[in-house]
Amino acid sequence: SDDTRTLVACLAAMGASVEADVGDDEEAPEEISLRGPLGAAADRTTTLDARDSGTAARFLTALAAAVPGDFRIRGSARLSERPMSPLIEALRSLGADVREEGAAGCLPLRLRGGSLSGGSVRVEASQSSQFLSALLLLGAAGVPIEVASEGAIASAPYVAMTVESLRAFGHRVESDGDGDGDVGGDVGGPWRVARGVSAPAFYETPGDYSSAVPLLASVGICGGEVALEGLHWPSADADAHALPVLHRMGIRIDAGALRVVARAERGALSPVTV
């Protein structure tokens, strides 16, 4: 994934120690070890190239505001056209030193890091849930923060995945809702994030349902069986909701904690209304 490679390269530029091991077995999953602390020398500008990754651009913008250093975040020509204004304004309200070097509200950006004091912030997340997720991640960077969304949240399940990830790494996330931090399309928080005191030594990144669904669906076309490893079930991933739909269409779905198996006879699919 280019997004993953881009994020890893930028974290290394920010001072992280990175080790990658793909193993001797070609089918073995890649393991990446990252160690902090993050931070760069203030007497020179550290360039972070997000390339085509909107995820990297938005998460790194928040992170660069939180850690020491002088950072310039840039991206491809197309990425430099994508909106950043809601995140930029939210960070400025928290005291961040952010300056646009091109079009207003877009990359490239220049940030003087380590200037955030924390507090409460609201962000317009109807364009992208990544604005909200980026601010929630500030809590993991040691910035005590309360984040709320103004209006509906685009791709709300990804915010729920952010909350799950923060908790998996030992950080505290509290919500004024039911206490679980559940996220719906019209639910705006707030969520309070505080940095944890310990982190797991190993974290297995959940499998990607966006990539998995076509493979599972192929069984309905061709018949047979497909077993996919590494998919967490149940999952906050929005595309995980495709599994019960496939089941209704005639594909037998057996979902376990880290394994999903799909079985079907060729030609056995039935149409359903979703």
Side-chain angles (χ1 to χ4, degrees):
S1 168
D2 251 6
D3 280 16
T4 302
R5 295 187 185 98
T6 297
L7 265 174
V8 170
C10 289
L11 289 171
M14 298 178 79
S17 171
V18 180
E19 296 178 8
D21 181 12
V22 296
D24 297 328
D25 183 351
E26 290 183 359
E27 296 183 0
E30 183 178 73
E31 292 186 4
I32 300 176
S33 296
L34 295 129
R35 292 179 177 84
L38 294 181
D43 58 353
R44 61 179 176 84
T45 301
T46 299
T47 298
L48 308 176
D49 190 352
R51 300 171 64 183
D52 289 308
S53 175
T55 305
R58 286 147 180 176
F59 289 3
L60 290 168
T61 295
L63 188 58
V67 303
D70 185 6
F71 301 100
R72 183 175 187 265
I73 303 177
R74 68 185 184 190
S76 66
R78 178 67 187 95
L79 183 59
S80 298
E81 297 173 354
R82 294 175 64 181
M84 297 277 286
S85 289
L87 178 59
I88 292 171
E89 294 308 313
L91 290 170
R92 282 175 174 157
S93 73
L94 291 169
D97 183 354
V98 187
R99 184 170 73 251
E100 295 108 313
E101 293 188 331
C106 296
L107 297 182
L109 299 173
R110 187 79 172 268
L111 295 99
R112 176 70 67 172
S115 57
L116 298 185
S117 57
S120 299
V121 63
R122 300 185 67 86
V123 64
E124 170 59 59
S126 61
Q127 289 179 306
S128 174
S129 64
Q130 291 173 353
F131 301 147
L132 183 53
S133 290
L135 293 168
L136 290 171
L137 291 172
L138 284 175
V143 179
I145 192 166
E146 180 179 276
V147 187
S149 172
E150 294 182 350
I153 304 170
S155 305
Y158 289 104
V159 179
M161 292 171 70
T162 303
V163 171
E164 281 186 356
S165 298
L166 286 166
R167 288 174 172 160
F169 276 85
H171 305 295
R172 189 172 73 250
V173 185
E174 298 175 345
S175 171
D176 284 345
D178 55 15
D180 293 330
D182 291 340
V183 183
D186 296 310
V187 178
W191 299 271
R192 289 173 294 279
V193 186
R195 186 174 187 170
V197 296
S198 62
F202 183 81
Y203 176 77
E204 183 173 349
T205 305
D208 177 33
Y209 274 95
S210 301
S211 302
V213 170
L215 299 174
L216 298 172
S218 70
V219 175
I221 300 169
C222 304
E225 177 180 310
V226 169
L228 301 180
E229 305 284 351
L231 288 173
H232 289 198
W233 181 266
S235 170
D237 193 323
D239 288 336
H241 291 289
L243 267 62
V245 177
L246 293 175
H247 180 76
R248 288 170 54 201
M249 294 179 72
I251 299 175
R252 179 182 172 187
I253 301 290
D254 294 314
L258 288 171
R259 179 182 171 91
V260 176
V261 181
R263 301 180 181 89
E265 298 294 329
R266 185 170 183 174
L269 288 187
S270 300
V272 297
T273 299
V274 179

